[in-house]
Amino acid sequence: MSKKDHKKINAMRILDTHKVAYNVLEYEWEEGRGTGVHAAEELHLPAERVFKTLVGRGAKTGPVVFCIPVAAELDLKQAARISGNKSVELIHVKELLGITGYMRGGCSPVGMKKLFPTYFDETMAQFDAVYVSAGLRGMQIQLNPQELAEVVQAQFVPLTM
């Protein structure tokens, strides 16, 4: 589906403002199956191109955002080193909406309440197009990772175990 077929949500408006081309894909989101791997399966996409957005709290920086492949696990020690923190812990799901404006299963790196320090796993940079949450459960955005990184001021770094 094209971006014109959807009601504009915050992430889309921001991408439009930055003149970033994107496509919107929708799938049936289910509680208990609302993982990034499920999104990749439902949309018949290679899991290495679908990225989940995780939000941590650094001892020095406060909230910090990480995008990693949906099937991968964040290396918290590496995340702390890269973000300039002594330690990073993932925020509790109950805090996600208040900090980011997004719910679990629909957290996008674009359009959070504030522009937090953001880091993309280095594997994202090898693709010409990747998929991230659009900011709603059951909706993904396909776009160029370099353009996405410019919008959210992200760095490509090694983040996974």
Side-chain angles (χ1 to χ4, degrees):
M1 292 186 157
S2 75
K3 61 185 176 183
K4 294 176 182 137
D5 297 335
H6 298 277
K7 178 182 171 208
K8 292 287 181 179
I9 55 177
N10 199 33
M12 293 177 199
R13 283 192 284 283
I14 291 168
L15 293 171
D16 289 345
T17 298
H18 288 272
K19 297 182 178 14
V20 173
Y22 61 90
N23 291 309
V24 177
L25 296 89
E26 291 187 82
Y27 63 98
E28 196 64 39
W29 189 90
E30 300 172 39
E31 187 66 52
R33 289 200 69 207
T35 67
V37 173
H38 173 68
E41 290 169 354
E42 286 291 308
L43 295 168
H44 307 289
L45 299 171
E48 63 272 9
R49 286 183 176 243
V50 182
F51 289 78
K52 60 186 171 185
T53 303
L54 303 173
V55 182
R57 180 177 290 113
K60 287 183 185 175
T61 63
V64 61
V65 178
F66 306 99
C67 283
I68 64 171
V70 293
E73 189 175 337
L74 180 65
D75 182 336
L76 289 172
K77 288 182 180 181
Q78 179 72 351
R81 275 191 298 277
I82 284 170
S83 63
N85 286 287
K86 186 174 182 178
S87 64
V88 168
E89 62 181 32
L90 293 180
I91 64 168
H92 193 279
V93 69
K94 292 177 188 174
E95 297 177 89
L96 190 63
L97 183 61
I99 291 172
T100 67
Y102 290 125
M103 296 173 58
R104 180 186 64 82
C107 187
S108 177
V110 182
M112 292 190 182
K113 287 183 173 184
K114 291 182 176 179
L115 188 59
F116 299 115
T118 302
Y119 302 90
F120 292 166
D121 188 67
E122 63 188 356
T123 60
M124 187 187 275
Q126 72 189 7
F127 301 112
D128 58 347
V130 296
Y131 303 84
V132 297
S133 175
L136 289 176
R137 293 171 169 178
M139 189 179 286
Q140 294 280 306
I141 294 178
Q142 174 197 36
L143 71 174
N144 179 280
Q146 301 294 336
E147 292 177 351
L148 175 61
E150 286 179 31
V151 171
V152 298
Q153 300 173 18
Q155 298 175 39
F156 294 97
V157 294
L159 288 172
T160 57
M161 296 188 169

